[in-house]
Amino acid sequence: MSKVAEQVEQLINPLFESDAKLSEYELVDVEYKKEGENWFLRVYIDKDDGINLDDCQKVSSALDVLLDEHDVVPNSYFLEVSSPGIERPLKKPSDFEKFIGKKAKIKGYVAIYDKQKEVIGVIADTTDTDVTIHIENNIEVTIKYDQIASAHLWVDF
């Protein structure tokens, strides 16, 4: 995560916790990327019953004020607030815990199972340090969070 994205995340979490109008939202991820000649600050949010356009607008308006106030983004940028989608990323231990029983795709920095760096399975259990997923043939694999390069929910189409 870029330094700007980290600073923005540190501003948003307290806002969601302290503002009654925003307390229903969860910050899923923040990205700060240059695409072509433009910079984009993307903020992904979620709530229990899903995100709609009105939610994105409400959070975007609050973030505009907050970001102008703190001036942590060094370039001009486009702010995009959206849902993380049905294959939302899993970043924190609490994300994995929230989705126990759901299917996920996990990519590791090192081989996770059978010399493969990538597995798909059902999240079976979590701790503060690792996640256990149930993969093929009743096999469970435990993966330390610091060995996970990326993870997201997986939907079979």
Side-chain angles (χ1 to χ4, degrees), residues 54-95:
D54 290 337
D55 295 316
C56 293
Q57 181 58 46
K58 182 164 75 171
V59 172
S60 180
S61 296
L63 292 182
D64 273 338
V65 172
L66 182 73
L67 294 169
D68 285 347
E69 213 174 88
H70 291 276
D71 198 26
V72 295
V73 184
N75 312 74
S76 62
Y77 61 94
F78 293 97
L79 174 63
E80 296 178 353
V81 176
S82 69
S83 160
I86 59 172
E87 289 191 341
R88 71 169 273 170
L90 304 170
K91 300 267 186 177
K92 306 172 289 242
S94 60
D95 293 339

Side-chain angles (χ1 to χ4, degrees), residues 50-51 56 58 69 76 98 117 123 129 134:
I51 296 297
C56 293
K58 182 164 75 171
E69 213 174 88
S76 62
K98 181 178 182 177
K117 288 186 176 182
I123 301 169
T129 58
H134 180 87

Side-chain angles (χ1 to χ4, degrees), residues 92-115:
K92 306 172 289 242
S94 60
D95 293 339
F96 290 93
E97 184 175 348
K98 181 178 182 177
F99 293 104
I100 287 177
K102 301 291 184 187
K103 197 175 259 192
K105 180 177 185 177
I106 300 175
K107 294 181 183 180
Y109 292 115
V110 296
I112 295 172
Y113 173 72
D114 198 25
K115 299 182 184 178

Side-chain angles (χ1 to χ4, degrees), residues 132-152:
T132 300
I133 64 165
H134 180 87
I135 57 175
E136 62 192 36
N137 301 323
N138 295 325
I139 296 170
E140 286 192 345
V141 177
T142 299
I143 309 159
K144 298 234 175 270
Y145 292 123
D146 62 4
Q147 294 178 339
I148 296 174
S150 66
H152 61 84

